[in-house]
Amino acid sequence: MNDKSRLSSESASRLWKLIRFLLTTSALFAVWLLFSFTWNIYSIIAGLAGSILISWLTYGVFIAEHEVSRSLFFLSPFRLAIFLFYIIYAMYASSLKMLPAVFSGKISPKIVHFKTRLRSDLARMILSNSITFTPGTITLDLNDDHLTVHWMFCNTHHSKVAGDAVKGRMETMLNRVWR
């Protein structure tokens, strides 16, 4: 690697560190403003100072270096809104399926293992939480691209079929959010 490409790589790395730091500071300051809900100058300065200090210490944890890419920051807000509406729909539909099953006892609980095609850690985390939000499923473990889920209506022993049934359309919709 020659000196010019190494300098270019180092400057790109510093730029991404700065962007991660600024995003972390902005998110922490927004949370400060939301929860303190005071608009006097001392509170704003204290919140900004605290946000900067915490960001300086934790920006590497808040946004991991391997997650840094433009697609992480520039997601599709319209598709994210559609996904949120879909999750609300899935929660109600799952509840309506779960209610009679609880009273009739027609359940077949099993633990299923499957993989996800999502590349982003954030998208995988949102998928696992979305699976847990829908009644009848609980995500027990998320390890890289492998999920372990307790599923109340298991009707197969094939992991790909079980994964497709548990994930439903959520994985496809999340994949479109970060494109």
Side-chain angles (χ1 to χ4, degrees):
M1 180 182 268
N2 61 20
D3 290 338
K4 189 174 184 175
S5 64
R6 185 175 38 230
L7 286 176
S8 175
S9 173
E10 288 175 6
S11 64
S13 176
R14 279 193 299 251
L15 176 65
W16 281 117
K17 283 182 181 181
L18 177 65
I19 289 171
R20 289 168 44 212
F21 172 77
L22 292 174
L23 285 171
T24 305
T25 302
S26 300
L28 291 173
F29 187 59
V31 169
W32 170 268
L33 291 175
L34 180 70
F35 287 116
S36 70
F37 208 71
T38 55
W39 300 100
N40 64 36
I41 190 71
Y42 299 113
S43 178
I44 291 174
I45 290 172
L48 185 60
S51 299
I52 290 170
L53 177 66
I54 293 170
S55 296
W56 180 67
L57 296 171
T58 65
Y59 74 92
V61 176
F62 190 74
I63 302 172
E65 189 168 354
H66 70 279
E67 280 291 315
V68 176
S69 69
R70 293 185 197 278
S71 65
L72 176 67
F73 304 119
F74 302 114
L75 52 95
S76 170
F78 178 71
R79 289 185 175 163
L80 181 62
I82 291 172
F83 175 75
L84 293 175
F85 282 114
Y86 177 75
I87 288 299
I88 292 169
Y89 163 77
M91 288 169 50
Y92 280 107
S94 229
S95 295
L96 292 175
K97 183 180 178 184
M98 191 72 181
L99 184 64
V102 167
F103 289 117
S104 68
K106 293 183 181 179
I107 58 173
S108 176
K110 298 237 182 338
I111 294 177
V112 294
H113 305 271
F114 54 88
K115 292 176 77 170
T116 179
R117 293 183 305 267
L118 297 172
R119 295 179 303 241
S120 165
D121 287 345
L122 180 61
R124 290 177 188 156
M125 185 264 313
I126 291 172
L127 175 66
S128 69
N129 285 332
S130 299
I131 289 171
T132 299
F133 285 154
T134 54
T137 54
I138 298 174
T139 304
L140 302 172
D141 187 36
L142 169 62
N143 188 2
D144 290 330
D145 62 346
H146 293 81
L147 283 100
T148 305
V149 174
H150 182 270
W151 183 26
M152 295 298 278
F153 301 106
C154 187
N155 53 6
T156 183
H157 293 289
H158 193 271
S159 64
K160 182 170 178 12
V161 174
D164 289 343
V166 170
K167 294 182 286 188
R169 294 180 52 207
M170 289 186 277
E171 182 181 50
T172 304
M173 293 177 86
L174 278 173
N175 203 15
R176 290 180 184 155
V177 168
W178 272 275
R179 282 197 180 205

